[in-house]
Amino acid sequence: MSESRILLIDQDMARAERVATLLEFMDFTPRIAADAGDVNLERARASDWVAVIAGDVGDGESFDRFAAWLGAQPMHPPVLELPGHDDRAAWRAQIHPDAVWALDYPVRRAQLQDVLRRASLKRLDDDARREIPQVGPTGRSPAVL
């Protein structure tokens, strides 16, 4: 197995197992959590995952906290959203809309492969940005601008 880890949050365990099986077949390492509250945010880093797949997140309270944590992390992975989420859900305000990608269900291998390829490329780009040393003044003060 590769080190390409995927966090899969879904209370529908049958669906989560089907998606996890497909991910394993594609050489990804899924971690299934029935609830976002099962993820230890004190030990976790956003860079631990290539992508986060969000299925049925229940009442959404713990997922709202998770989304707030994720959105506050620099260069976090995309959230791959399975159908069923309300367009006005509170967690959407925590994550930039460009970082939320729709995923059909039943999951088609071709679509999943495409979004995970995009997520992997985003991860490589983010890693490269972290390695570039800052040269010269930084910031947004009037003197720097």
Side-chain angles (χ1 to χ4, degrees):
M1 290 240 164
S2 70
E3 284 301 312
S4 298
R5 294 178 300 272
I6 309 291
L7 177 61
L8 174 56
I9 301 172
D10 197 348
Q11 290 185 348
D12 182 344
M13 279 297 126
R15 176 173 61 182
E17 289 294 333
R18 285 190 295 271
V19 173
T21 300
L22 181 56
L23 289 167
E24 288 170 349
F25 177 76
M26 296 171 61
D27 202 29
F28 286 92
T29 307
R31 175 184 174 213
I32 299 174
D35 187 76
D38 297 341
V39 179
N40 184 349
L41 299 181
E42 292 180 16
R43 296 185 61 202
R45 296 171 301 174
S47 62
D48 288 346
W49 308 294
V50 171
V52 175
I53 299 176
D56 178 4
V57 295
D59 65 5
E61 187 175 314
S62 61
F63 193 74
D64 290 345
R65 282 192 302 276
F66 175 79
W69 172 83
L70 188 64
Q73 305 301 310
M75 297 182 250
H76 63 79
V79 174
L80 309 180
E81 175 187 31
L82 290 170
H85 291 268
D86 185 358
D87 289 340
R88 298 175 309 269
W91 67 266
R92 291 184 181 282
Q94 306 297 328
I95 298 177
H96 194 280
D98 290 344
V100 179
W101 304 346
L103 193 59
D104 294 332
Y105 191 81
V107 176
R108 294 184 324 268
R109 183 174 181 262
Q111 182 193 25
L112 186 59
Q113 194 169 22
D114 180 53
V115 295
L116 291 176
R117 181 179 301 119
R118 286 176 40 209
S120 295
L121 291 173
K122 179 186 179 311
R123 170 85 177 261
L124 291 172
D125 186 51
D126 290 349
D127 288 345
R129 289 181 190 197
R130 281 189 198 108
E131 294 174 9
I132 297 173
Q134 292 291 334
V135 178
T138 61
R140 305 285 307 157
S141 70
V144 170
L145 294 176

